[in-house]
Amino acid sequence: MLGTAKGEPVMSVAGLLKRDQLDVLIQTLRARGYRVVGPRAKSGAIVYDEVSRADELPVGLVSVQEPGRYRLEDSGNGRLFDYVHGPESLKRFLFAPQETLWTVEQNGEVRFKETLPEIRPLAVIGARACDLAGVSVQDRTFLKGRYNDFSDPYYATRRENLFIVAVHCTRSAATCFCASMNTGPRAREGYDIALTELEDAFLVGAGSAAGEAVLADLPLQPAHEGEITQAAQAIDAAARSQTRRLDTENIQALLFNNLEHPRWDDVAERCLSCGNCTLVCPTCFCHRETDVASLDGKESGHQRQWDSCFTLEHGYLHGAQIRPQIRHRYRQWLTHKLAAWIEQFGVSGCVGCGRCITWCPTGIDLIEEVNAIRLPAALRRRHGAQPEAKT
Amino acid sequence: MTGRLRIAVHKFASCDGCQIQFLNLEQDLLTLASRAEIAHFTEASSVTQPGPYDVSFVEGSISTSADLQRIREIRAASRLLITIGACATAGGLQALRNWKDHDEFVRAIYARPEYIDSLARSTPVSEHVKVDAELWGCPIDQRQLKRVLSDLLARVAPRIPGESVCLECKRAGHVCVLVAKGEPCLGPVTRTGCGALCPRYERDCYGCFGPQEDGNTLALGRRFRELGLSDEDVVRRLRFINGWAPAFRAGAQAWEK
Ligand code: SF4
Ligand code: SF4
Ligand code: SF4
Ligand code: SF4
């Protein structure tokens, strides 16, 4: 373990991998039986998709992110990981957006069948510190442990078979605030291999035995003190460049003591109740389960699907709707995410990735909403032109 | 309901596209016919049986005084009445006339206006009789239709989700065209059911499944204005296939001069 300027531990450094040798990593993973997924540029954003060669990775792209807006732009250099992130976290690889949990057939007799996911090791390249933090938050929901008496076998199977190649961020998007949530931009744990991108090479380290075994197959060169310092400085600079920060001091009392604050009505005027924020959030775990029968009535599948606290179905309990208005639903999302989560799982439900800010179609920023409740009324900013105020 | 379900499909003012979705079920239509009695479906067969029906599917809007009478008869003859498509559920594209002078159209278009018996407004079935369930879409989605039929055959309440198209986009991993391209996508205020068809092809949703259960058309209109649409553009966007549906109607009206 090496120290940084701030004295924080960084990964154990194994060496340098030249940028033009990154393909060896992909081929090594493939040879070991992993399906390899990495960043791809598609439809104007970075998404995760299969990669079979390093030259399929996006080169020289940065994401320009602001509330409700995302654009990929050329960086003018040959770097691979400056894009920061896209709408997807690691969530979809562990907690599937939609899957059949079991099926039942009736053909004279009734037979139930398990549909556990196929065991196929998956390696994901490009996960960020906030993504790893998101996984560790979801582990508390889906794996047996202090907060949970049972493991979800679907999640657990995928979790055991996931190999993570993390990238320490050396660039932050304008919507990122992981530094204030103490989750990034340096990936601390939960990865197998971590990369820091330098001018034409990656500083590489392992975070697990599996990672070490893969690194042993790579053409690494020794890393020098200068490169190690340079990498640490680049990560620190990314942290310092973050302009957003969530003030979490006393946040449970703040939100729960303000359940009737006028700001909930204000945000309800801007919120579409579309649910995008919850689905892009790496930690949101709400889901619904329904039975899908075949037309011939012979079989039926029990299906689980991502749900959101922004749907009416989600607030429908015992014949009553408990969150009939948008203000109730936005309040549910924010108070659960930032406050009730701490009671439930001992940790904030927010890892500071900023996705809910970027991917909200109307650009609602949860930090501003919290600040508006925290700050005296005079300092609150009102939003959005009303149709009456036409130009 | 016990025994074989008696099903009817009725047509009012419409293009027949939703009935075609029934016919396009192909093999599944045969499965349906083996489990239920299709008693009345003139698009499929000239043999029609009178009611009562267990389930009547109704396509088309109420557009003439004869329609007004017939929809009441169908309601009286049906245990369950389910509308199919934008016309029956929201008045359809033909409801654009609801904002205009109907008599002027009739005079301008028909040589003998006195033969024309159409109502000044095209309206959804639910404005006239009780509706038990609504299948949205222009046209309806086959998977959704199949699910509703399967649920009915299993004697459970049909499941028709009312949430936004966005949820389906995100589950499927489509990149948001509003956020990543600045397109005026209606998906956030539109009801799911199509499988996020337009965003899948990088197109903005134009709301053919009608309003979602409790979205905010006013706020989305404001966003469209920020994206560069004029007041008129916002009105046109919302006042289209499902323009007469209350949430879209109100969302458009807010920007009308
Ligand atoms: S609440 Fe928003 S910023 Fe926080 S983890 Fe979820 S998506 Fe990221
Ligand atoms: S906060 Fe934004 S993303 Fe979330 S439901 Fe409201 S409009 Fe949609
Ligand atoms: S593309 Fe349209 S429907 Fe899809 S998430 Fe974006 S706004 Fe919603
Ligand atoms: S995305 Fe919108 S317009 Fe396109 S098919 Fe679906 S509901 Fe209709």
Side-chain angles (χ1 to χ4, degrees):
Chain A
M1 287 283 188
L2 286 149
T4 66
K6 282 191 193 157
E8 283 188 44
V10 287
M11 57 172 181
S12 59
V13 171
L16 274 185
L17 181 69
K18 287 288 190 194
R19 190 186 288 133
D20 56 16
Q21 301 274 357
L22 188 64
D23 193 53
V24 185
L25 170 62
I26 295 173
Q27 301 319 326
T28 302
L29 291 167
R30 282 162 55 93
R32 286 170 176 261
Y34 288 101
R35 181 166 78 91
V36 181
V37 157
R40 304 289 298 266
K42 192 194 121 194
S43 315
I46 299 294
V47 297
Y48 281 119
D49 206 346
E50 306 258 342
V51 285
S52 49
R53 295 188 321 267
D55 62 10
E56 293 166 349
L57 299 175
V59 182
L61 290 178
V62 289
S63 65
V64 179
Q65 302 190 38
E66 57 190 80
R69 189 173 188 273
Y70 183 101
R71 294 291 184 279
L72 285 180
E73 290 181 3
D74 284 333
S75 66
N77 63 42
R79 293 166 69 98
L80 299 177
F81 294 103
D82 274 353
Y83 65 83
V84 188
H85 58 12
E88 297 171 340
S89 61
L90 293 173
K91 177 161 86 173
R92 65 188 311 110
F93 299 115
L94 296 171
F95 168 38
Q98 179 162 310
E99 70 186 315
T100 301
L101 301 185
W102 39 262
T103 60
V104 56
E105 284 171 18
Q106 58 166 6
N107 221 342
E109 53 168 337
V110 173
R111 285 214 330 251
F112 286 87
K113 266 202 298 198
E114 258 187 359
T115 52
L116 279 170
E118 168 199 12
I119 300 177
R120 170 106 199 258
L122 172 73
V124 180
I125 297 177
R128 306 298 169 134
C130 56
D131 297 333
L132 302 180
V135 170
S136 89
V137 173
Q138 279 212 330
D139 282 351
R140 296 174 188 229
T141 306
F142 289 110
L143 297 181
K144 185 174 170 178
R146 185 159 158 209
Y147 300 95
N148 203 342
D149 292 338
F150 302 97
S151 277
D152 178 276
Y154 306 86
Y155 182 96
T157 303
R158 298 193 191 97
R159 185 76 176 91
E160 282 156 25
N161 289 284
L162 180 65
F163 185 98
I164 299 177
V165 180
V167 173
H168 299 295
C169 290
T170 50
R171 190 183 179 106
S172 296
T175 44
C176 294
F177 57 102
C178 61
S180 73
M181 299 308 287
N182 213 17
T183 55
R186 176 179 283 104
R188 300 217 176 81
E189 56 184 6
Y191 57 79
D192 296 288
I193 292 176
L195 316 174
T196 317
E197 189 163 28
L198 301 171
E199 250 354 277
D200 58 357
F202 300 100
L203 194 64
V204 178
S208 71
E212 271 173 26
V214 169
L215 288 191
D217 287 353
L218 301 187
L220 298 186
Q221 298 172 4
H224 302 102
E225 194 59 41
E227 284 135 0
I228 294 169
T229 311
Q230 203 192 330
Q233 284 172 350
I235 301 166
D236 288 342
R240 281 196 308 274
S241 76
Q242 293 183 7
T243 51
R244 278 189 163 74
R245 104 169 250 289
L246 178 65
D247 180 359
T248 52
E249 202 191 315
N250 226 356
I251 193 139
Q252 286 161 281
L254 177 77
L255 295 180
F256 288 133
N257 291 339
N258 280 294
L259 293 177
E260 298 304 328
H261 196 282
R263 186 68 179 193
W264 302 119
D265 294 313
D266 183 282
V267 71
E269 282 177 22
R270 289 171 278 128
C271 174
L272 307 167
S273 200
C274 65
N276 274 300
C277 47
T278 53
L279 266 53
V280 294
C281 182
T283 71
C284 276
F285 56 81
C286 281
H287 53 266
R288 62 168 69 112
E289 290 176 22
T290 58
D291 292 288
V292 186
S294 66
L295 199 59
D296 63 9
K298 295 208 171 103
E299 56 179 354
S300 163
H302 190 72
Q303 215 176 62
R304 173 164 74 185
Q305 198 180 44
W306 286 355
D307 194 0
S308 164
C309 48
F310 283 93
T311 70
L312 286 184
E313 186 177 324
H314 192 277
Y316 187 78
L317 302 177
H318 319 295
Q321 178 53 253
I322 58 165
R323 293 189 281 273
Q325 295 167 5
I326 296 182
R327 69 189 293 269
H328 304 134
R329 302 199 284 279
Y330 189 86
R331 186 179 68 186
Q332 163 65 27
W333 140 256
L334 205 70
T335 54
H336 185 215
K337 185 96 328 198
L338 301 180
W341 215 289
I342 301 172
E343 283 162 28
Q344 195 179 4
F345 297 112
V347 68
S348 175
C350 176
V351 298
C353 72
R355 286 189 175 94
C356 58
I357 305 173
T358 299
W359 297 97
C360 169
T362 55
I364 292 171
D365 176 347
L366 77 172
I367 298 178
E368 260 182 41
E369 299 313 313
V370 172
N371 287 346
I373 291 173
R374 199 184 278 287
L375 296 176
L379 297 175
R380 278 179 223 134
R381 188 179 134 198
R382 262 202 69 97
H383 283 263
Q386 305 299 312
E388 294 75 48
K390 284 173 210 165
T391 50
Chain B
M1 288 187 271
T2 50
R4 260 158 64 103
L5 280 187
R6 287 194 95 215
I7 291 180
V9 182
H10 309 273
K11 177 194 157 64
F12 286 80
S14 61
C15 77
D16 292 29
C18 291
Q19 294 184 75
I20 302 256
Q21 292 292 68
F22 258 94
L23 294 179
N24 285 348
L25 288 174
E26 296 180 356
Q27 191 60 43
D28 290 327
L29 195 60
L30 299 180
T31 309
L32 176 67
S34 73
R35 296 192 70 202
E37 181 196 351
I38 303 177
H40 171 99
F41 187 3
T42 46
E43 181 95 10
S45 163
S46 52
V47 183
T48 74
Q49 308 288 335
Y53 311 113
D54 291 314
V55 189
S56 276
F57 291 94
V58 176
E59 179 197 82
S61 69
I62 306 307
S63 191
T64 66
S65 45
D67 289 348
L68 277 173
Q69 181 55 31
R70 187 158 59 99
I71 193 62
R72 291 198 186 100
E73 288 162 14
I74 290 170
R75 176 68 264 189
S78 313
R79 303 183 63 152
L80 288 178
L81 190 156
I82 301 179
T83 59
I84 52 171
C87 303
T89 314
L93 193 63
Q94 59 274 28
L96 287 175
R97 77 166 180 251
N98 299 3
W99 286 272
K100 300 286 179 200
D101 183 345
H102 163 260
D103 293 339
E104 195 187 315
F105 281 142
V106 174
R107 281 194 305 272
I109 294 165
Y110 298 98
R112 305 290 297 269
E114 63 272 27
Y115 290 161
I116 303 300
D117 164 37
S118 68
L119 300 169
R121 285 179 167 179
S122 165
T123 47
V125 172
S126 63
E127 283 191 21
H128 307 280
V129 297
K130 177 173 167 278
V131 169
D132 299 295
E134 296 175 328
L135 259 177
W136 292 80
C138 181
I140 54 168
D141 176 82
Q142 265 185 34
R143 277 156 311 172
Q144 204 169 43
L145 172 62
K146 227 172 108 172
R147 180 145 188 195
V148 165
L149 290 169
S150 304
D151 286 346
L152 289 170
L153 289 168
R155 306 296 202 265
V156 296
R159 200 189 122 70
I160 305 171
E163 66 207 26
S164 75
V165 177
C166 301
L167 291 170
E168 195 50 37
C169 254
K170 287 291 178 287
R171 286 188 203 109
H174 304 324
V175 173
C176 176
V177 301
L178 195 159
V179 171
K181 295 196 165 129
E183 300 286 347
C185 185
L186 274 178
V189 298
T190 298
R191 181 176 289 255
T192 193
C194 65
L197 191 57
C198 296
R200 191 199 304 165
Y201 296 100
E202 300 187 27
R203 295 292 304 269
D204 43 322
C205 166
Y206 53 87
C208 84
F209 269 65
Q212 63 130 309
E213 55 199 7
D214 190 33
N216 187 343
T217 45
L218 201 57
L220 190 62
R222 277 199 294 270
R223 183 75 182 120
F224 286 179
R225 292 283 283 99
E226 289 168 13
L227 292 172
L229 269 64
S230 65
D231 289 0
E232 262 190 316
D233 293 338
V234 176
V235 174
R236 264 196 227 113
R237 199 105 194 108
L238 284 159
R239 191 172 291 165
F240 188 37
I241 294 171
N242 288 289
W244 193 245
F248 284 2
R249 216 193 298 174
Q253 195 167 356
W255 301 94
E256 207 160 31
K257 289 265 179 348

